[in-house]
């Protein structure tokens, strides 16, 4: 089985939702008082935390859904709503962290897990995507391939956070905002697709039950 399809699909599905580029301004704002080495350490740990969080839900997603009695179609619908909500906030330039969350984060010595990894990057939308993927996999190789995609997300995130300062200075606030809106548009399309697939499948299930 080729490594590319699941790895590529996982990476492409997660990248706009996790949005490593969009996380750069928040990261540099919250680490403004850090030294260069301290900021680098936070960037590494943030990337590791994101990979760990997503990997846990990739591996355990099936059992989590079974424990709560949630079907794949319900997850698709709920995940689509969450993804669409995230996208709408990006398109309308709404802050990814609330003012209270931002104020609390500024005073924290370690921001790598909260708020950076959760909920900023590996938030409900990203978790919903990997959990949905885990349900569709049938062999351990599929999980391994998808895990490689998650690791690539972590590497991309680290590179964005470690090397993002020149990007911010070059793009400026307006440029970063415009880039976020572009990402938000594509994420909104993904969310609508999830909602449509989940809704159609649920209607088919309901119709099938009625026919029986």
């Amino acid at each position: 089985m080729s490594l590319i399809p699941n790895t590529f699909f996982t990476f492409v599905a997660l990248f706009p939702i996790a949005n490593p580029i969009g996380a750069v301004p928040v990261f540099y704002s919250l680490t403004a008082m850090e030294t260069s080495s301290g900021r680098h350490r936070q960037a590494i740990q943030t990337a590791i935390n994101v990979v760990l969080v997503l990997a846990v839900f990739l591996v355990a997603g099936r059992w989590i859904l079974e424990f709560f009695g949630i079907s794949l179609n319900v997850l698709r619908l709920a995940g689509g709503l969450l993804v669409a909500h995230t996208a709408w906030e990006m398109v309308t330039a709404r802050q990814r962290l609330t003012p209270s969350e931002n104020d609390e984060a500024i005073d924290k010595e370690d921001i790598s897990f909260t708020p950076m990894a959760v909920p900023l990057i590996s938030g409900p939308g990203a978790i919903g995507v990997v959990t949905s993927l885990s349900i569709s996999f049938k062999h351990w190789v599929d999980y391994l391939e998808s895990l490689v995609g998650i690791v690539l997300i972590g590497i991309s995130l680290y590179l964005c956070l470690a090397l993002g300062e020149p990007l911010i200075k070059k793009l400026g606030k307006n440029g970063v905002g415009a880039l976020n809106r572009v990402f938000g548009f594509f994420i909104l399309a993904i969310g609508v697709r999830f909602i449509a697939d989940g809704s159609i499948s649920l209607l088919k299930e309901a119709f099938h039950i009625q026919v029986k």
Side-chain angles (χ1 to χ4, degrees):
M1 183 177 294
S2 174
L3 178 67
I4 295 177
N6 283 329
T7 299
F8 178 76
F9 181 77
T10 300
F11 181 82
V12 170
L14 282 175
F15 190 88
I17 297 174
N19 194 8
I21 298 175
V24 172
V26 179
F27 178 75
Y28 278 86
S29 173
L30 297 180
T31 58
M33 304 303 294
E34 287 277 1
T35 63
S36 178
S37 60
R39 182 180 289 130
H40 185 260
R41 185 174 60 253
Q42 295 262 27
I44 293 175
Q45 193 58 52
T46 299
I48 292 173
N49 287 337
V50 167
V51 171
L52 290 177
V53 169
L54 295 180
V56 166
F57 280 93
L58 176 71
V59 174
R62 183 185 299 272
W63 290 277
I64 292 173
L65 293 185
E66 289 178 353
F67 178 80
F68 288 103
I70 302 173
S71 70
L72 175 59
N73 294 323
V74 170
L75 178 69
R76 283 176 176 166
L77 182 56
L81 291 172
L82 284 172
V83 169
H85 179 263
T86 300
W88 184 253
E89 289 182 339
M90 293 172 66
V91 171
T92 56
R94 183 175 175 181
Q95 294 293 327
R96 299 180 74 182
L97 293 177
T98 65
S100 60
E101 288 174 333
N102 189 74
D103 292 341
E104 180 183 353
I106 290 176
D107 296 329
K108 293 183 66 174
E109 293 184 3
D110 185 357
I111 61 165
S112 61
F113 187 76
T114 58
M116 288 303 301
V118 180
L120 190 61
I121 302 166
S122 51
I127 289 173
V129 168
V130 295
T131 305
S132 179
L133 288 174
S134 72
I135 296 297
S136 63
F137 293 156
K138 298 180 180 179
H139 305 288
W140 66 269
V141 177
D142 297 327
Y143 289 93
L144 181 61
E145 293 172 353
S146 187
L147 183 59
V148 173
I150 291 175
V151 171
L152 291 177
I153 288 292
I155 294 173
S156 300
L157 173 63
Y158 164 72
L159 292 175
C160 287
L161 297 183
L163 307 175
E165 190 169 14
L167 176 65
I168 292 179
K169 290 180 178 178
K170 188 173 183 63
L171 291 177
K173 290 185 177 180
N174 290 335
V176 172
L179 194 61
N180 268 334
R181 289 184 179 90
V182 172
F183 274 124
F185 176 76
F186 287 107
I187 295 172
L188 185 59
I190 294 172
V192 171
R193 176 63 184 273
F194 281 175
I195 293 171
D197 288 346
S199 300
I200 292 172
S201 298
L202 284 173
L203 288 173
K204 286 182 178 179
E205 286 181 1
F207 180 75
H208 183 65
I209 292 173
Q210 288 178 1
V211 170
K212 281 188 173 182

